[in-house]
Amino acid sequence: MIQLQDIEKVYRTKTIETVALNRVNLHVERGEFVSIMGPSGCGKSTLLNIMGLLDEPTSGVVSIDGQPVKTHSDKQLAKLRNEKIGFVFQSYHLIHDLSVVDNVELPLLYRNISGGERRKRALAALEKVGLSTRTRHFPSQLSGGQRQRVAIARALAGAPEIILADEPTGNLDSVMGEEIMEILLRLNREEGTTIVMVTHDEHMAHKTNRLIRFFDGQQVADSLVLEAQI
Amino acid sequence: MLKNYFKIAWAVLQRRKFFTFISLFGISFTLMVLMVVTSLFDHVFGPQMPERGTDRLLFVNNLREEQGEGYSSSGPPSYYFLDRYVRRMQTPEKVSINSVFNPVNSYIHNKKLALDIKHTDQQFWEILDFHFLEGNPFGALEVKNASRVAVINQTTRKNYFGTGPALGQTIEVDQVKYRVIGVVEDVPVLRIQSYADVWVPITLKSQDFKDTGLRGGYFATIKARQAADIPKIKEEYARIIQQVSQLNPKEKKQVHSYPDTILESFARNFLGSGKEDKVGFLYTMLALAAFLFMLLPTINLVNINISRIMERASEIGVRKAFGASSNTIIGQFVVENVFLTLLGGLLGFLLSAGVLALINDSGIIIYAQLGLNLRVFAWGLFLCLVFGLISGVYPAFKMSRLHAVEALRGGSK
């Protein structure tokens, strides 16, 4: 589904060179729920951004469904993100000026579908995360957990095959965090959505199928969770 | 998608009210000034009553004589010149000779009325499109007989006769009595070719006819059979002027005179010393002035837009993450900005309407009825769009270049 080959990401300034990712090779299979763990600054989010085509590697090849994306134009990358990938961010990144349902419609705006159909699909996504009664609210009127559920509904609305979640429970208390995790697990289990989640939370990571650990831009462990627990 | 853009645009306008006020004030004030100027321009040079068919009209209102040693003089041509040479032209459909308007006094109920009188022939009424409220113009017979008849404008009618009858009544202007035979709608003073308060037959000024000099106090109004004949009329007129220049070769006199449209006449007399055709130069100057006038508020709006958009870096990041390409982002911000400028344009229209009403009421320009007609509206709309595009495209382009990751971090780059 997602294949990373020899990925390097180097940030350069005039005086300093920082290696964020160092020769990373990773293959995420269709239907997997992968968690990525590691200390702050080890390159987890950079990796997720590269997987999500939001950032370009300094070297190496990113392939989605077997197709390398290196030569894709801005427009082609935008289309791939729109159709294949849904994002969930730690700080939600909802658009404050739009209502809940308008936020959820966002990925569908960039597809050639009618307003009525967009609204239908956005409401269905909100239903899945249990927020069908808050469609007309604005993000500022919701709790942190509710905002993250809106963000998940937005990621789901376009029915992507992949969801990339960057510390989705990081800003939430444990109860809210569990709720969000349950939604993601259900998506993976019932709809077969491939999920890659960056997390600091060992407990959450152990609920996923596969755990990859990073340290100083390098992949230091990659194991099935059941094996790890044994 | 557009609905979503408008929702966002409206929300952003409401969110930062001070920025919105500054933006809208800048746009509406600039457009208001441009609209008032456009309206004035249209009022002076556009097709207006009674000079409606401007594509078929030419005016001769200046003749310049140059002799050796740099001596030159210019002014309106004489009746003699116009009658002898211009009236006999072959290419025009009709030629009218009429005097420049002259200020005269009239007294009614011991009250002085300052009026402007113009002497015209019957062709004047046939060429121009006056709106007669009562009666009719004078014809060939009245002109031939030098009848003391007058056509007056509605303001003079009101001052003289109030609500009573006017036709057949007598008015006394400069101690001469005239019988009123027609009342026309007021003609604005800026229409100097046709403006007056009182129009009387040209033959009442026959003492002028004997002066055989080239310059006097008369205009010619020429009507072409069709717009395409205008160049032919100009050519024929040029031949006449060449002929007139060579009448007395010993004098070495150069004569310059041209049948011009209203705009050409203005450009030639004010910018071309009565000789060169300066319409292109006039348009260039006007375009440059409008550009410079719009430049400052545009730069201001560009800056405001950049800071406004910078605040929305995270939104740009999210939109990119969910499938918006850079071009889509540019499109969104340009649409938003055009929406803002159209809103400013609407306010500008309202302000312009208010200012034009004030100008009309103030009487600064006599009988002026400046208004926002379709031509002015189209120009205003065009200016709004230019304003919106210029001030929106650069910030949108700049922000669309932002990497999604940078944008999500808040646009630190």
Side-chain angles (χ1 to χ4, degrees), chain A residues 11 49 54-56 74-75 78 81-82 86-87 89 93 95 97-98 102 106-107 109-110 118-119 154-155, chain B residues 1 4-5 7-8 11-12 15 314-315 318-328 403-405 408-409:
Chain A
Y11 295 103
N49 290 333
L54 295 178
D55 203 354
E56 288 170 26
D74 173 68
K75 202 173 166 186
R81 283 196 294 267
N82 180 255
F87 294 90
F89 304 102
H93 282 309
I95 300 174
D97 293 315
L98 292 179
D102 285 334
L106 191 72
L109 280 182
Y110 306 113
R118 281 203 304 265
R119 188 54 48 116
R154 177 177 62 186
Chain B
M1 190 182 279
N4 186 281
Y5 289 174
K7 271 185 192 175
I8 280 272
V12 171
R15 190 172 0 125
S314 156
E315 179 192 328
V318 171
R319 285 185 184 273
K320 283 197 160 187
F322 283 98
S325 65
S326 294
N327 287 342
T328 315
H403 265 292
V405 174
L408 284 167
R409 283 187 202 133

Side-chain angles (χ1 to χ4, degrees), chain B residues 350-364:
Chain B
L350 297 176
L351 278 174
S352 310
V355 170
L356 291 175
L358 277 177
I359 293 174
N360 290 342
D361 289 348
S362 70
I364 296 171

Side-chain angles (χ1 to χ4, degrees), chain A residues 19-69:
Chain A
V19 180
L21 293 174
N22 187 9
R23 296 182 73 81
V24 174
N25 287 285
L26 183 64
H27 187 193
V28 177
E29 299 285 351
R30 190 178 295 275
E32 271 192 312
F33 193 155
V34 181
S35 51
I36 299 172
M37 291 198 73
S40 295
C42 70
K44 311 182 291 294
S45 295
T46 304
L47 182 79
L48 207 68
N49 290 333
I50 287 172
M51 279 184 178
L53 316 178
L54 295 178
D55 203 354
E56 288 170 26
T58 309
S59 64
V61 180
V62 180
S63 304
I64 303 284
D65 279 345
Q67 291 295 315
V69 299

Side-chain angles (χ1 to χ4, degrees), chain B residues 175-284:
Chain B
Q175 299 174 339
V176 178
K177 286 184 178 167
Y178 300 91
R179 182 168 51 89
V180 175
I181 60 163
V183 178
V184 292
E185 203 175 285
D186 291 335
V187 177
V189 68
L190 294 170
R191 295 276 159 173
I192 57 162
Q193 317 285 346
S194 33
Y195 159 80
D197 294 301
V198 179
W199 294 263
V200 298
I202 195 164
T203 38
L204 288 167
K205 229 182 167 190
S206 58
Q207 69 277 14
D208 287 358
F209 299 176
K210 294 166 199 158
D211 180 359
T212 55
L214 292 178
R215 288 192 298 107
Y218 288 86
F219 295 153
T221 307
I222 300 171
K223 187 176 188 182
R225 287 187 179 84
Q226 53 195 2
D229 286 349
I230 293 286
K232 290 182 207 157
I233 294 173
K234 289 186 173 184
E235 281 167 24
E236 188 186 355
Y237 193 89
R239 285 197 299 273
I240 289 170
I241 291 299
Q242 199 177 12
Q243 183 191 333
V244 170
S245 289
Q246 290 165 355
L247 280 178
N248 292 310
K250 284 181 187 171
E251 285 184 9
K252 292 183 180 173
K253 189 192 279 184
Q254 282 288 317
V255 178
H256 300 278
S257 179
Y258 304 87
D260 284 331
T261 62
I262 305 168
L263 185 66
E264 284 168 348
S265 167
F266 174 83
R268 194 188 301 280
N269 292 326
F270 287 90
L271 302 169
S273 313
K275 287 196 288 186
E276 293 103 0
D277 172 11
K278 290 276 184 177
V279 173
F281 180 66
L282 176 69
Y283 273 126
T284 309

